[in-house]
């Protein structure tokens, strides 16, 4: 399991670094300094304060995502809706 987790972290780093190469836009890293070599751990720390509130079957963010958080999600090609939409039915025909 640990090996799989490390592989996923490495793939995330690769995707973020390729995003930097193709767009020429560095990420906000430690101490709000720009970096061209973002790490997965760096990204995870940026999402530590994200709170998802559930009301019945609806989910919403307690606060909107920051520009930095949105930048990381775009680099990983992950939609912002991943926090609010039900992913359990993803891939089903209905």
């Amino acid at each position: 399991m640990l090996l799989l987790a490390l592989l996923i972290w490495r793939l995330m780093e690769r995707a973020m670094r390729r995003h930097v190469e193709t767009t020429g836009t560095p990420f906000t890293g430690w101490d709000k300094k720009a970096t061209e070599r973002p790490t997965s751990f760096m990204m995870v720390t940026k999402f530590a304060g994200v709170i998802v509130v559930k009301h019945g079957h609806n989910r919403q963010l307690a606060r909107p995502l920051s520009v930095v958080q949105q930048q990381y999600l775009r680099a990983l090609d992950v939609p912002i809706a991943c926090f609010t939409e039900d992913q359990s039915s993803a891939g089903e025909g209905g």
Side-chain angles (χ1 to χ4, degrees):
M1 198 51 96
L2 178 61
L3 183 59
L4 183 58
L6 291 173
L7 176 63
I8 291 170
W9 274 49
R10 181 62 191 117
L11 290 172
M12 289 169 34
E13 286 179 356
R14 183 174 179 233
M16 290 185 291
R17 291 173 184 182
R18 279 205 170 159
H19 183 77
V20 170
E21 288 175 10
T22 58
T23 64
T25 306
F27 280 83
T28 302
W30 306 118
D31 297 327
K32 298 183 181 180
K33 294 179 182 174
T35 181
E36 293 181 0
R37 295 191 47 84
T39 66
S40 294
F41 182 74
M42 186 183 297
M43 184 205 67
V44 169
T45 63
K46 302 296 182 189
F47 288 88
V50 173
I51 299 171
V52 178
V53 180
K54 186 172 181 181
H55 296 281
H57 294 291
N58 299 325
R59 291 187 285 179
Q60 65 186 42
L61 293 170
R63 290 185 302 267
L65 295 177
S66 71
V67 173
V68 173
Q69 291 167 331
Q70 291 178 36
Q71 180 186 23
Y72 277 100
L73 290 177
R74 265 192 308 278
L76 295 172
D77 198 26
V78 174
I80 294 172
C82 72
F83 292 104
T84 57
E85 291 182 3
D86 184 10
Q87 301 298 312
S88 63
S89 61
E92 293 181 9

